[in-house]
Amino acid sequence: MPHVTVEYTDNIKGEGRIRELLEKINQSLLENDGLFPIGGIRTRAVELKDYVVADGSEDDAFVHVTFKIGGGRSEERLSAACDKLFAVIVDHFAALFEKRYLALSMEVSEFTRPAYKKNNIHKRYKT
């Protein structure tokens, strides 16, 4: 963990630079002094083709990020990492936000039950 899903409306596909955003998200998560193990980070994007924003009368756009993590991190460190991550997202879309209607949001889900997982990617990062 963490797993990050970026949902975005298809009307910003060209200008959204989504692959670049995914790379920025991973980099942001890695810059937290080991808070998130590198081998557990999964970031993906889902382009939405069917959606209605607000009353549906405009070509509104949105990006919603779901950030899922396992438990056990201090509230202080987690809040700081989430604040930093959302700032990365806002900064990434700053120019687009200035020229069109765009809603940005991020939801954080911390698992309260153990997650079922098996991952040998971690071995690559052990020193």
Side-chain angles (χ1 to χ4, degrees):
M1 300 307 232
H3 289 209
V4 182
T5 303
V6 177
E7 296 174 286
Y8 66 97
T9 54
D10 63 353
N11 57 354
I12 63 167
K13 183 177 182 176
E15 292 180 276
R17 305 176 343 268
I18 301 302
R19 174 66 189 208
E20 182 181 328
L21 173 65
L22 300 180
E23 292 168 357
K24 289 177 182 179
I25 288 171
N26 277 30
Q27 189 59 44
S28 176
L29 295 176
L30 291 171
E31 293 172 352
N32 289 290
D33 296 322
L35 187 63
F36 306 110
I38 187 171
I41 298 171
R42 312 277 187 281
T43 306
R44 78 263 286 151
V46 178
E47 179 182 338
L48 303 173
K49 297 183 182 301
D50 297 311
Y51 54 88
V52 177
V53 180
D55 64 3
S57 65
E58 297 288 333
D59 186 34
D60 298 328
F62 72 84
V63 176
H64 179 72
V65 176
T66 303
F67 182 46
K68 296 181 180 180
I69 59 168
R73 294 164 181 89
S74 74
E75 183 61 33
E76 181 180 54
R77 289 194 72 201
L78 181 56
S79 290
C82 290
D83 289 347
K84 180 180 171 183
L85 178 57
F86 192 64
V88 165
I89 295 163
V90 169
D91 182 65
H92 179 82
F93 289 107
L96 193 56
F97 194 89
E98 291 300 316
K99 56 191 252 193
R100 68 165 304 133
Y101 291 112
L102 175 62
L104 302 173
S105 58
M106 185 175 83
E107 164 189 7
V108 180
S109 298
E110 186 174 16
F111 296 123
T112 56
R113 297 182 52 87
Y116 297 89
K117 55 189 177 178
K118 185 173 181 175
N119 177 354
N120 68 1
I121 298 172
H122 292 288
K123 289 193 294 187
R124 188 168 66 233
Y125 297 99
K126 299 281 185 202
T127 56

